[in-house]
């Protein structure tokens, strides 16, 4: 049961030959596909400044996101970005280097508080007056690391927790985010804008959030790397919530190395955030230290058998991925693990109860005039033409009808959800597995504001969401011009192992392809 896909799983769409029908091309640039490490190297040598890089990305956002193909991935720009970049250049010149992200422009999802001139709205017109008084804990970490907060990204409104019939990447504030590979295709969600902006080279790296699939799915469909950390590794303080059990923020990058660098910047213990998992050991501060091209040697990787024979194109991509892992020294073990998420109704109940509790807490302390879920529902009804032109707010309404977190129904459902971590741990131990893997999603479906998303029957990220375990998604290949990702899953706080495995697979496969902004895959 995926977070807001309480409805149906559709079958994969037919495959057509790619028909290039859009002449727009990105401007030639030395910065396109440049890694964070290369940016840093150039800054160290004096060949690049943070100010120049920030100027470049602002120009690309204007050219690509607001004009050109109009991706609508960036919902707001930080008016202080250039000033911050110039200040960080001065620090570098004086010998003060804050870390690997010093001077690197970063975009963050518009459900994360920033105590600056930008708003935090979760994509909703209802929160246009919400200018935070305090940075989210992870934003404080980013600023301390020397990152330039470039702006905020569009998302599925309310992180896809308003309606069962929403269109991923659409918000009443930001409109519909588009997939840069094929413009009439979904970017998935809810961290749509963060993934699209990274894919389209509109920033160096970006921060998204996930409850169930909101990092993994956009990473897969936009050909980038996304890390969904262990619930507890990255603070949720100052992030508009859905579920205290499953929510986490996490990084997007064009490479595993870039995503690992950002993870090191945003991870950190927050006494104000009591999460499901608690680390029993000292956590790393530098996840880039685990980049190992031989990271698959001697590893036992479990692959989900039920993910096969749904689409021949994805079967072929997965078969090739498994061959590459095997050639890199891994042993592939066929196993079934997706069935751990077969808990009818439990996840939807937990999310509805926790959303009501969490959003009421957040709004009551925010600077927004609306102070409760009840107030949001009333606002949406009064402004239906602007806020709900395509789909409703039935998840808001069912959540509002729930009781508090002492309700027996909630506690019983939560107990079922909490059992998943133990079940997965036992399975990994029983089969002596270092990680589990499977196709992240199918290829992107067509954007449909009338009927909503068309789920393809894939989605190997659910067990990680329910267990609170970490997962990493990266490109597995292309299907008719559309990216498809593979996801790896480990036990809690085994991000180092995930990064080793994912980096080794990335180096063996080299599947990242820059987008070409094609208008449509094919014509009937």
């Amino acid at each position: 049961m995926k977070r807001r896909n309480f409805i149906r799983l559709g079958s994969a769409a037919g495959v057509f030959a790619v028909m290039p029908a859009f002449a727009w091309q990105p401007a030639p640039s030395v910065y396109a596909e440049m890694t964070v490490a290369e940016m840093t190297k150039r800054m160290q040598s004096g060949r690049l400044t943070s100010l120049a890089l920030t100027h470049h990305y602002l120009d690309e956002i204007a050219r690509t996101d607001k004009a050109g193909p109009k991706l609508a991935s960036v919902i707001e720009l930080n008016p202080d970005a250039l000033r911050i970049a110039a200040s960080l250049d001065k620090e570098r010149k004086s010998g003060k280097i804050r870390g690997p992200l010093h001077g690197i422009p970063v975009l963050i999802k518009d459900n994360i508080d920033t105590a600056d001139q930008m708003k935090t709205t979760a994509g909703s017109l209802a929160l246009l007056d919400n200018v935070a008084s305090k940075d989210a804990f992870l934003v404080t970490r980013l600023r301390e690391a020397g990152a330039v907060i470039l702006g905020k990204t569009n998302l599925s409104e309310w992180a896809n927790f308003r309606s069962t019939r929403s269109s991923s990447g659409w918000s009443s504030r930001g409109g519909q985010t588009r997939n840069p590979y094929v413009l009439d295709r979904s970017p998935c969600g809810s961290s749509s804008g963060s993934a699209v902006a990274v894919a389209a080279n509109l920033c160096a790296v970006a921060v998204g959030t996930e409850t169930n699939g909101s990092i993994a799915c956009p990473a897969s469909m936009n050909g980038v790397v996304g890390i969904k950390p262990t619930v507890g590794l990255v603070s949720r303080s100052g992030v508009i919530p859905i579920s205290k059990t499953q929510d986490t923020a996490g990084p997007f990058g064009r490479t595993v190395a870039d995503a690992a660098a950002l993870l090191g910047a945003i991870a950190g213990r927050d006494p104000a955030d009591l999460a499901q998992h608690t680390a029993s050991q000292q956590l790393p501060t530098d996840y880039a230290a685990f980049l190992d091209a031989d990271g698959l040697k001697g590893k036992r990787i479990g692959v989900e058998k039920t993910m096969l024979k749904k689409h021949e194109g994805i079967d072929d991509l997965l078969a090739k991925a498994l061959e590459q892992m095997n050639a890199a020294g891994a042993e592939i073990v066929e196993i079934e693990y997706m069935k751990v998420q077969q808990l009818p109704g439990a996840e939807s109940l937990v999310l509805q109860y926790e959303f009501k509790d969490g959003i009421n807490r957040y709004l009551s302390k925010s600077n927004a005039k609306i102070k409760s879920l009840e107030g949001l529902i009333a606002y949406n009804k009064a402004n239906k033409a602007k806020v709900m032109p395509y789909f409703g707010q039935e998840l808001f309404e069912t959540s509002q009808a729930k009781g508090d977190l002492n309700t027996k129904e909630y506690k019983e459902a939560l107990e079922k959800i909490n059992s998943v971590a133990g079940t997965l741990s036992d399975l990994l131990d029983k089969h002596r597995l270092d990680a589990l893997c499977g196709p992240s999603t199918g290829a992107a479906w067509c954007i449909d504001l009338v009927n909503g998303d068309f789920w393809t029957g894939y989605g190997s990220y659910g067990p990680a969401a329910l267990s609170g375990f970490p997962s990493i998604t990266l490109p597995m290949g292309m299907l008719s011009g559309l990216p498809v990702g593979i996801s790896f899953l480990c036990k809690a706080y085994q991000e180092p192992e995930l990064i080793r495995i994912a980096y080794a697979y990335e180096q063996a496969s080299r599947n990242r392809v820059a987008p070409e902004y094609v208008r449509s895959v094919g014509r009937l």
Side-chain angles (χ1 to χ4, degrees), residues 163 275 287 415:
S163 171
Y287 286 91
E415 186 175 355

Side-chain angles (χ1 to χ4, degrees), residues 38-342:
E38 178 61 23
M39 292 173 192
T40 298
K41 183 178 179 181
R42 290 187 178 220
M43 288 184 198
Q44 289 171 339
S45 69
R47 291 181 293 155
L48 178 64
T49 64
S50 177
L51 184 61
L53 190 58
T54 302
H55 264 300
H56 164 75
Y57 283 131
L58 291 173
D59 289 344
E60 284 301 298
I61 289 168
R63 185 175 186 274
T64 306
D65 209 59
K66 307 307 176 188
K70 297 182 180 178
L71 299 177
S73 67
V74 180
I75 206 166
E76 184 172 9
L77 291 170
N78 184 0
D80 299 320
L82 294 173
R83 178 187 59 77
I84 293 169
S87 174
L88 289 165
D89 283 335
K90 288 181 181 179
E91 286 188 9
R92 182 180 291 278
K93 193 172 182 179
S94 70
K96 179 181 179 181
I97 309 297
R98 295 177 181 234
L101 288 189
H102 188 109
I104 301 297
V106 178
L107 286 167
I108 64 174
K109 190 175 178 180
D110 181 38
N111 60 347
I112 301 172
D113 283 345
T114 55
D116 49 27
Q117 298 184 63
M118 293 188 290
K119 304 172 180 66
T120 305
T121 71
S124 174
L125 295 175
L127 293 191
L128 280 180
D129 60 344
N130 186 34
V131 178
S133 300
K134 181 180 179 181
D135 279 338
F137 187 89
L138 73 89
V139 173
T140 299
R141 297 275 299 170
L142 277 175
R143 296 195 200 276
E144 290 173 348
V148 178
I149 307 296
L150 190 62
K152 294 196 174 182
T153 56
N154 199 11
L155 67 157
S156 310
E157 185 168 315
W158 294 106
N160 258 351
F161 203 79
R162 199 191 82 188
S163 171
T164 58
R165 197 171 43 75
S166 60
S167 172
S168 287
W170 183 91
S171 73
S172 58
R173 183 184 178 200
Q176 177 65 57
T177 305
R178 297 185 178 278
N179 190 309
Y181 289 85
V182 181
L183 298 173
D184 67 355
R185 295 276 164 161
S186 175
C188 204
S190 63
S191 301
S192 315
S194 295
V196 168
V198 170
N201 284 276
L202 305 183
C203 61
V205 286
V207 180
T209 65
E210 174 164 326
T211 304
N212 192 330
S214 286
I215 289 174
C217 189
S220 177
M221 289 191 182
N222 295 284
V224 295
V225 179
I227 300 176
K228 178 259 177 192
T230 304
V231 174
L233 182 66
V234 178
S235 170
R236 288 86 56 83
S237 297
V239 180
I240 296 178
I242 291 177
S243 165
K244 67 176 186 176
T245 303
Q246 294 178 203
D247 286 352
T248 183
F252 288 101
R254 285 180 291 275
T255 66
V256 173
D258 286 357
L262 181 54
L263 179 62
I266 62 176
R269 297 184 187 277
D270 176 8
D273 180 21
L274 300 177
Q276 177 182 357
H277 295 291
T278 302
S280 58
Q281 70 280 354
Q282 184 69 32
L283 296 174
T285 56
D286 179 14
Y287 286 91
F290 304 102
L291 301 171
D292 181 2
D294 294 322
L296 278 165
K297 282 187 177 179
K299 297 295 190 295
R300 285 171 58 85
I301 310 294
V303 61
E304 172 59 49
K305 293 187 290 186
T306 64
M307 285 290 181
L308 302 174
K309 297 182 180 179
K310 292 184 177 183
H311 191 294
E312 67 280 0
I314 293 176
D315 286 351
D316 290 345
L317 292 176
L318 181 60
K320 182 179 179 181
L322 297 178
E323 288 173 5
Q324 291 169 327
M325 284 186 257
N326 186 253
E331 181 180 356
I332 306 302
V333 181
E334 287 194 359
I335 193 170
E336 292 185 9
Y337 68 90
M338 292 296 291
K339 59 187 177 183
V340 302
Q341 65 179 348
Q342 294 173 3

Side-chain angles (χ1 to χ4, degrees), residues 352-371:
Q352 289 172 61
Y353 275 99
E354 292 187 350
F355 177 71
K356 179 183 179 180
D357 178 77
I359 199 63
N360 283 337
R361 290 176 186 272
Y362 175 86
L363 291 172
S364 69
K365 298 175 182 177
S366 75
N367 291 327
K369 292 180 181 177
I370 298 173
K371 295 297 184 183

Side-chain angles (χ1 to χ4, degrees), residues 276-277 335-343 415-431 433 436 463-464 466-469 489-491:
Q276 177 182 357
H277 295 291
I335 193 170
E336 292 185 9
Y337 68 90
M338 292 296 291
K339 59 187 177 183
V340 302
Q341 65 179 348
Q342 294 173 3
L343 304 169
E415 186 175 355
K416 293 178 182 178
I417 298 298
N418 286 342
S419 70
V420 174
T423 302
L424 273 179
S425 289
D426 291 345
L427 186 148
L428 285 158
D429 291 342
K430 178 182 177 181
H431 296 277
L433 298 174
L436 300 166
L466 293 172
S467 63
F469 287 177
L489 157 69
C490 282
K491 290 183 184 179

